[in-house]
Amino acid sequence: LRGLMIGDSVTMGGHLPREQRFANQLEDLLQRFDSRHASYQMINTGTEGYDTSQERQMLTEALRFDPDFIVIGYCLNDIIEPYLLNRDLGSTGRFSGMQQATFPLWGYLINETGFGRLVVKMNEDRHMSEDQHRYSLYSVERMVQSADAAHWTQGWNSTLAELETIYGMASERQIPIVLALFPYTFQLFRSDWQSPQQRLALHAEQHRVDWIDATSLFEKASHMRLYRNLLQADTAPIRPDEKGELTRFAAQVYFRDFNHFTAAGHQLVALQLTQYLSSKGLVDIE
């Protein structure tokens, strides 16, 4: 059974040993508990800094592996990144010391030659102040508080169009695909700040694509770990005065920063994907 994971640094899990990333933990869980297949290969193509357009290109290349299913690890910074990286939308067009260019030859000269790199370096301080100002205007935290505002229209249009293309590529080849929605810590236990995930889930349903929302997963796990016995079937509703403590607990146990997971967070995602694959009849979990 071969699975293909596409996404950014959250999917990549680059700060962790390979065996602790959710792709590898999923592979281990299936080897231990699935009785249908003889072997398993979970291919993780998550790449730090990638947005939805680059993930679509990665999928184009990775389809050569002939996966049995595809997981899209989606993080909300994909919606705001066009405003931070695209010069056509007012940014400086810089990322990790590289400069966006209109033409490939100009891009080569400025990014791949010594003289070009020197010019970029000399302008670094001026561009850095511009970038910092722009980051304060276009942040995920600001976006989730007003996700439907016209301010974010171009970012939404870009990411939804790329997702639609990805869905079409999977449908054309009849490969099951699931959208895994990953939260930021400040969204936890704040239903009024979770509308972006709801919009992405609705868009997936409109294209007949499955989705799973890790936001509720982290909330439930935190509630059970902190206040309830893990073996208890049901838990009492969360009181308003508990939400702050639960958020702090989740941020310490399951997240290493605002959106990247710890090994325990990756384990939760791997368990959720195992349950999903079982519900779709792709594996037989004993």
Side-chain angles (χ1 to χ4, degrees):
L1 182 72
R2 179 175 293 148
L4 176 65
M5 319 291 149
I6 63 174
D8 60 9
S9 56
V10 178
T11 299
M12 177 183 176
H15 59 286
L16 292 171
R18 288 183 68 253
E19 63 271 13
Q20 294 182 0
R21 303 170 190 179
F22 73 76
N24 301 83
Q25 292 202 53
L26 174 62
E27 184 176 290
D28 180 61
L29 285 167
L30 295 179
Q31 287 174 340
R32 291 168 59 192
F33 298 112
D34 177 44
S35 59
R36 180 181 300 188
H37 304 278
S39 61
Y40 306 86
Q41 185 180 50
M42 301 297 116
I43 301 173
N44 186 357
T45 68
T47 306
E48 184 175 2
Y50 268 24
D51 63 12
T52 322
S53 64
Q54 292 163 310
E55 290 158 12
R56 182 255 306 155
Q57 178 61 34
M58 177 63 81
L59 177 60
T60 301
E61 300 177 15
L63 284 171
R64 72 184 69 179
F65 296 123
D66 193 25
D68 297 299
F69 67 91
I70 300 167
V71 177
I72 309 171
Y74 188 90
C75 198
L76 292 178
N77 58 359
D78 280 11
I79 297 169
I80 67 165
E81 281 183 351
Y83 303 98
L84 302 177
L85 304 179
N86 193 336
R87 295 176 64 184
D88 295 335
L89 297 180
S91 81
T92 60
R94 288 168 50 82
F95 179 73
S96 293
M98 304 294 283
Q99 179 67 53
Q100 180 185 359
T102 305
F103 303 104
L105 178 58
W106 178 241
Y108 170 77
L109 292 173
I110 199 168
N111 290 314
E112 303 294 341
T113 67
F115 178 75
R117 298 288 291 169
L118 178 62
V119 171
V120 172
K121 184 69 176 176
M122 291 173 62
N123 288 280
E124 191 173 64
D125 291 341
R126 177 173 61 85
H127 286 149
M128 187 175 297
S129 63
E130 294 178 22
D131 289 340
Q132 289 175 347
H133 175 66
R134 199 157 183 84
Y135 289 156
S136 67
L137 294 176
Y138 296 96
S139 68
V140 173
E141 189 166 6
R142 287 172 64 95
M143 188 274 293
V144 301
Q145 296 176 53
S146 59
D148 296 326
H151 187 62
W152 309 109
T153 299
Q154 288 176 294
W156 273 108
N157 289 345
S158 173
T159 197
L160 292 179
E162 293 292 355
L163 284 172
E164 186 173 346
T165 301
I166 290 172
Y167 299 155
M169 292 165 63
S171 176
E172 181 181 346
R173 294 163 179 80
Q174 298 183 323
I175 304 173
I177 186 168
V178 58
L179 177 67
L181 299 167
F182 298 145
Y184 276 67
T185 54
F186 47 73
Q187 290 186 286
L188 298 176
F189 305 100
R190 289 291 306 267
S191 58
D192 54 328
W193 285 10
Q194 295 174 14
S195 63
Q197 279 89 346
Q198 295 164 9
R199 182 172 178 179
L200 289 159
L202 178 60
H203 180 260
E205 290 178 358
Q206 291 170 344
H207 291 84
R208 299 181 180 180
V209 168
D210 293 328
W211 58 273
I212 55 178
D213 186 357
T215 310
S216 59
L217 173 73
F218 286 112
E219 290 177 344
K220 291 176 182 177
S222 300
H223 188 213
M224 294 178 72
R225 283 280 299 272
L226 191 58
Y227 289 115
R228 302 285 179 260
N229 188 315
L230 283 171
L231 301 180
Q232 188 171 319
D234 299 310
T235 59
I238 297 171
R239 301 190 311 269
D241 62 320
E242 292 179 317
K243 292 181 179 180
E245 188 171 359
L246 284 167
T247 299
R248 287 190 292 273
F249 177 84
Q252 293 170 0
V253 175
Y254 298 122
F255 291 82
R256 63 182 291 265
D257 54 29
F258 283 125
N259 65 334
H260 294 90
F261 309 142
T262 61
H266 278 270
Q267 183 183 54
L268 281 184
V269 174
L271 288 165
Q272 189 177 38
L273 287 172
T274 301
Q275 183 181 37
Y276 167 76
L277 294 174
S278 179
S279 71
K280 299 297 292 184
L282 291 171
V283 296
D284 294 327
I285 299 298
E286 296 179 350

